[in-house]
Amino acid sequence: MTLFWAFIIGGLICVIGQLLIDLTKLTPARILVIFVVAGCFLSGIGVYQHIVDFAGAGALVPLPGFGHVLAQGTKKAVNERGLLGVVTGGFTAMAGGVTVAVVVGYLIAMVSKPKGDAR
């Protein structure tokens, strides 16, 4: 059942994103910011953790999950380091995920062949 709910909740988040693309004039960058801020906000008021507990990766992999991890990392760092944690918490929480994305992107770029002039 866990995989089922992860698929449903992750799919619903993606459907919301697709509806925002199709029905509004919002740019993809603005939609990305909306999702990350929504994840931070819902995490801040204690709602998103319940969604994560229910749907697992279905709630953590999409963009609101990124916002949730940033908020949780900042909260933890503030509790441990005080005001300095506001600046360092998000970076510390996401360091592993961002590093993997950059390294994998670089490796794929090294082995891929461009399709020609991108003009």
Side-chain angles (χ1 to χ4, degrees):
M1 274 316 267
T2 304
L3 292 176
F4 174 77
W5 287 115
F7 177 78
I8 295 298
I9 299 300
L12 285 174
I13 292 170
C14 293
V15 165
I16 292 168
Q18 189 64 49
L19 289 173
L20 287 172
I21 290 170
D22 292 343
L23 302 177
T24 68
K25 293 184 179 189
L26 293 171
T27 63
R30 289 185 180 179
I31 294 170
L32 179 144
V33 170
I34 289 168
F35 274 138
V36 173
V37 170
C40 284
F41 177 76
L42 292 173
S43 181
I45 62 173
V47 173
Y48 207 79
Q49 186 60 48
H50 296 295
I51 298 170
V52 169
D53 292 341
F54 180 71
L60 283 175
V61 172
L63 288 170
F66 183 78
H68 169 68
V69 172
L70 286 174
Q72 293 302 308
T74 302
K75 182 179 174 183
K76 179 181 175 189
V78 166
N79 290 336
E80 293 174 356
R81 297 184 196 111
L83 192 57
L84 182 62
V86 171
V87 178
T88 62
F91 292 117
T92 305
M94 291 310 302
V98 171
T99 301
V100 168
V102 169
V103 170
V104 170
Y106 178 75
L107 292 174
I108 289 174
M110 294 302 293
V111 299
S112 299
K113 292 183 182 179
K115 288 188 174 185
D117 199 0
R119 291 183 202 186

